[in-house]
Amino acid sequence: STIYFPRMEDALVQRLACAALATFNDVITRAAFEAGLPLIDLRLVCNEDSDYANPIEPSEAGGAKIARAIVRLVSGHDFTQRRTQVFV
């Protein structure tokens, strides 16, 4: 899975954190596509302020969304085909 973006209060710190995470998320995404593995894009899963308990940890609601994405991946992906499918 990708790394979800934080929810920093300071706008500049938020932009810097997202920019730094872009490098890591690019590596993760490329590796999934090169290996033909499914991918959960947590940047799209945890997309609301209520998904966070604090600036860097998911809340109960965010954790539930992540769990549902994992269930969708495990129950809906055909692992025999070695193709990347993105789950949100």
Side-chain angles (χ1 to χ4, degrees), residues 9 11 14 17-18 29 41 51-52 57 63 70 73 78 80 83:
E9 291 183 23
Q14 177 69 19
C18 290
T29 302
D41 194 331
D51 294 333
Y52 293 83
E57 295 176 321
I70 292 169
L73 183 150
D78 182 356
T80 65
R83 69 179 176 88

Side-chain angles (χ1 to χ4, degrees), residues 29-87:
T29 302
R30 284 175 172 266
F33 276 88
E34 288 173 1
L37 295 172
L39 176 72
I40 297 173
D41 194 331
L42 292 179
R43 298 168 295 182
L44 300 175
V45 173
C46 294
N47 59 356
E48 300 174 34
D49 289 340
S50 61
D51 294 333
Y52 293 83
N54 59 51
I56 61 169
E57 295 176 321
S59 65
E60 184 177 337
K65 289 170 81 172
I66 293 168
R68 286 192 298 273
I70 292 169
V71 168
R72 281 192 296 276
L73 183 150
V74 171
S75 63
H77 185 73
D78 182 356
F79 287 89
T80 65
Q81 292 193 3
R82 289 191 50 91
R83 69 179 176 88
T84 300
Q85 183 176 4
V86 179
F87 290 84

Side-chain angles (χ1 to χ4, degrees), residues 17-34:
C18 290
L21 286 173
T23 301
F24 290 104
N25 284 326
D26 183 61
V27 170
I28 292 165
T29 302
R30 284 175 172 266
F33 276 88
E34 288 173 1

